Amino acid sequence: MSGEIEVEGLGETLANLDRFVQVLEEELTQAVQFCVDLVVNDARSTDAFHDRTGNLRNSIQGEVERIAEGVIEGVVWPGMEYGKYLELGTSKMAPHSFLGPALEKNYDRIVRTLAAAVERAKARCAIR
C-alpha cells in the first residue's frame, strides 16, 4: 500500500519558527541582562563584608553574552582579585559570601523574569 502525504504551508511554518527563535533570543537577552543587574545590585548592597575603600563593592560587575547558537549566559563577578577569597573563604578565613546570596535572594524573580520573556516572545509571534 502506498500513499502520498502532502503538507501545505511547511515553508511558512519554518519561517515562523525561525522568526520565533530570533524574537525569543532578543527577549531572553534583555531578560538575562535584567537578572544580571538584579544580582549585581544586590551583591553591591550586601553587608557580608566591610568594604573600607568601596573598591570591591564598586568592582562587582556582570555581563550577558551569546556564547553559542541559542545559548545566552549571564555572569556576575567581583573585579577585585580578593573578592573570590571573600566569597569562598580560605583555609584561614571563613567565607563572607555576597554573590551566592544575591543570586539566591533573586532566584524566584529570575525564574519569573525568564518565563515572562518567553511569554512576550510568544505574544510577539502570535503563538498561543
Side-chain angles (χ1 to χ4, degrees):
M1 178 175 178
S2 69
E4 290 185 20
I5 297 177
E6 187 175 318
V7 178
E8 292 183 18
L10 185 58
E12 182 181 347
T13 300
L14 291 174
N16 288 339
L17 185 57
D18 286 342
R19 170 82 173 122
F20 176 68
V21 169
Q22 176 186 0
V23 169
L24 181 60
E25 189 168 311
E26 291 170 9
E27 290 290 345
L28 285 174
T29 298
Q30 291 175 10
V32 171
Q33 183 64 62
F34 176 81
C35 295
V36 163
D37 292 344
L38 282 176
V39 174
V40 166
N41 290 333
D42 270 349
R44 284 180 178 169
S45 67
T46 187
D47 60 1
F49 59 89
H50 180 66
D51 189 10
R52 291 186 305 254
T53 65
N55 289 342
L56 177 59
R57 198 171 306 281
N58 292 331
S59 78
I60 298 169
Q61 55 194 313
E63 72 178 11
V64 176
E65 186 177 359
R66 182 177 186 235
I67 59 172
E69 183 72 31
V71 180
I72 302 163
E73 177 180 72
V75 181
V76 177
W77 70 93
M80 302 301 290
E81 178 68 22
Y82 60 89
K84 64 183 172 188
Y85 302 117
L86 283 171
E87 179 70 20
L88 303 173
T90 68
S91 62
K92 297 180 181 184
M93 180 185 78
H96 297 276
S97 298
F98 53 98
L99 295 175
L103 177 62
E104 289 173 16
K105 176 183 175 186
N106 289 290
Y107 180 81
D108 290 338
R109 189 168 183 191
I110 289 168
V111 170
R112 287 192 311 271
T113 298
L114 296 175
V118 172
E119 291 304 315
R120 282 192 306 277
K122 287 169 54 177
R124 284 177 58 188
C125 294
I127 298 174
R128 288 181 256 144

